[in-house]
Amino acid sequence: MTADTTEPPGGTPGHAADGPADPAERRREQRGWYFYDFACSVYSTSVITVFLGPYLTSVAKAAADADGFVHPLGVPVRAGSLFAYTVSVSIVVAILLMPLVGAVADRTGRKKPLLAAAAYTGAAATTGMFFLQGERYLLGAFLLIVANAALSVSMVLYNAYLPQIAEPDERDAVSSRGWAFGYTSGALVLVLNLVLYTGHDSFGLTEGAAVRICLASAGLWWGAFTLVPLRRLRDRRAAVDPAAGKIAEGAVGSGWKQLRATLRDMRRHPLTLAFLLAYLIYNDGVQTVISQASVYGSEELGLDQTTLITAVLLVQVLAVAGALGMGRLARSYGAKRTILASLAVWTAILVAGYFLPADAPVFFYCLAAAIGLVLGGSQALSRSLFSHLVPRGKEAEYFSAYEMSDRGLSWLGPLVFGLAYQLTGSYRDAIISLVIFFGVGFVLLARVPVRAAVAAAGNPVPARI
């Protein structure tokens, strides 16, 4: 499918062996890199944020007993909590895979074949959601677990390219453009979804069939546009490491074992580990809000699917401007300060969401607009800031730990959300419970001396960070 562009030993003329290439080649790779966000963000938007939560919940409710519980593997689960719990299970699966894949990618230099395998596994599982109907909640849960875990693995490899294709003072802008590409594709496909969903009768479709087509189309989109980065990105020669052969040969070993090895290595960079801990906590809150917003809107606020789609479309449009705008703010105030300001806004959003009246779409749109303005920027700047803290040659391995809390795939936030609903029966209590993630993340990030952390990782310190 793609040509073998792995560098020979010693690199190629004009190319660094493991760093950014010459300017023209670097820009070509960056443009290809943006398109993986363009490919997979449709899954995050259409599947996770809009359609799958309410739809899988309705399928689970159809299969529930008189008390509102389903019993996967004999475990009683409230039907309304199934989606959140499934997201949590998916990250446990991803934790077993991500460190292993990251270590193999770093030690073999073969990120691209692994990226292709992960992307097309996720795309196939998403396309298979077309067959989710009736009382097949177990099928839906299984496909969600596979797709989410595959997305996590692919994002480890995708993010690990950032320090290889961008100079240190380019990374905030390059990362922000990647997110902007993703939100652009999400908005475009959501417009098409909105046309199909609202006009399903005129297309001769039931509402459920329209939803299943929207789900499956996200998988087809993901697979089609993944071809662009696979053609543009190139593999680098792996750093010389006497242990590389043993690690590659042991690739079928435990993901947990490799994760422990990565974390032990991070102990030599405690400031990098401190930033990662802060990120894992506050981004867990961000991603849980994203993945559970449609369930909250439909089940607690009584909003219809059309309102939810248009609200998420508003988020996508404003997130493009927000990602680029916060990237510019970071040039003036530094990435760390800009991220801290966004966390304060996220906290205010949750408090406002708790008091949001039911059946009031205008207020929900206002909240969606606020989310859009901080969503892309907080994620893009976190990614670029972390890229400065990664020792050279360990990009995929470190980004595997970073990815554990990315794109709504973290297990703790959805678990807290699901437990809060299971115990109280109130989605308002579930949504306000997430404030703790932003508060604790803010405090931990504020304590990280990022300039010292960049220097300790052996990387050049940008003028403003």
Side-chain angles (χ1 to χ4, degrees), residues 3-355:
D4 184 353
T5 54
T6 307
E7 287 186 352
T12 56
H15 293 189
D18 56 0
D22 66 84
E25 176 64 19
R26 190 169 69 245
R27 285 192 294 272
R28 182 178 187 276
E29 282 197 273
Q30 287 170 3
R31 288 191 292 268
W33 185 80
Y34 300 149
F35 267 92
Y36 191 68
D37 246 325
F38 191 85
C40 69
S41 290
V42 171
Y43 168 83
S44 299
T45 303
S46 291
V47 177
I48 295 297
T49 307
V50 177
F51 288 108
L52 188 57
Y55 187 68
L56 182 57
T57 300
S58 69
V59 171
K61 287 183 174 180
D65 59 22
D67 296 320
F69 285 81
V70 291
H71 300 268
L73 304 178
V75 179
V77 173
R78 191 184 290 270
S81 294
L82 178 72
F83 177 68
Y85 286 155
T86 304
V87 172
S88 292
V89 172
S90 73
I91 195 57
V92 174
V93 174
I95 286 171
L96 296 172
L97 297 175
M98 289 189 295
L100 177 61
V101 172
V104 171
D106 282 335
R107 286 156 175 79
T108 63
R110 303 286 290 176
K111 293 184 181 69
K112 195 158 66 170
L114 294 169
L115 175 62
Y120 285 106
T121 297
T126 306
T127 304
M129 291 177 186
F130 178 79
F131 301 101
L132 174 59
Q133 58 184 319
E135 298 182 359
R136 297 177 181 174
Y137 73 93
L138 284 176
L139 173 64
F142 172 75
L143 293 174
L144 174 57
I145 290 168
V146 172
N148 270 355
L151 179 63
S152 285
V153 170
S154 72
M155 291 304 295
V156 167
L157 302 160
Y158 168 71
N159 287 335
Y161 273 104
L162 179 59
Q164 296 181 331
I165 65 172
E167 299 287 359
D169 44 1
E170 293 180 312
R171 290 180 197 166
D172 286 348
V174 170
S175 183
S176 295
R177 289 189 199 111
W179 281 105
F181 263 61
Y183 288 120
T184 299
S185 74
L188 174 62
V189 174
L190 269 183
V191 170
L192 300 176
N193 290 160
L194 182 61
V195 171
L196 178 64
Y197 180 80
T198 57
H200 60 82
D201 286 333
S202 61
F203 291 106
L205 298 170
T206 64
E207 181 178 336
V211 170
R212 292 188 292 113
I213 290 172
C214 290
L215 293 171
S217 66
L220 296 174
W221 182 283
W222 185 357
F225 284 99
T226 294
L227 291 171
V228 179
L230 292 180
R231 290 184 64 85
R232 292 286 184 92
L233 294 172
R234 62 186 179 88
D235 283 330
R236 268 73 173 172
R237 177 174 56 87
V240 177
D241 184 346
K246 291 182 180 179
I247 293 173
E249 289 171 7
V252 295
S254 168
W256 283 102
K257 182 178 179 180
Q258 183 55 54
L259 175 60
R260 289 196 297 270
T262 301
L263 293 177
R264 279 198 301 271
D265 185 74
M266 281 186 174
R267 291 174 61 184
R268 299 190 297 113
H269 304 282
L271 298 181
T272 299
L273 192 57
F275 171 81
L276 181 62
L277 177 61
Y279 173 79
L280 290 176
I281 292 174
Y282 72 72
N283 197 54
D284 205 344
V286 171
Q287 301 305 329
T288 306
V289 172
I290 294 170
S291 67
Q292 305 303 321
S294 59
V295 175
Y296 182 72
S298 63
E299 298 295 322
E300 183 68 35
L301 302 181
L303 302 175
D304 59 35
Q305 193 72 44
T306 301
T307 299
L308 296 176
I309 295 172
T310 51
V312 174
L313 180 59
L314 178 62
V315 169
Q316 297 299 113
V317 172
L318 292 179
V320 175
L324 298 176
M326 287 181 66
R328 294 190 181 95
L329 286 175
R331 289 201 292 269
S332 299
Y333 300 102
K336 176 183 173 181
R337 287 180 181 151
T338 307
I339 295 169
L340 288 172
S342 76
L343 298 183
V345 175
W346 275 108
T347 302
I349 286 170
L350 283 181
V351 173
Y354 178 80
F355 292 105

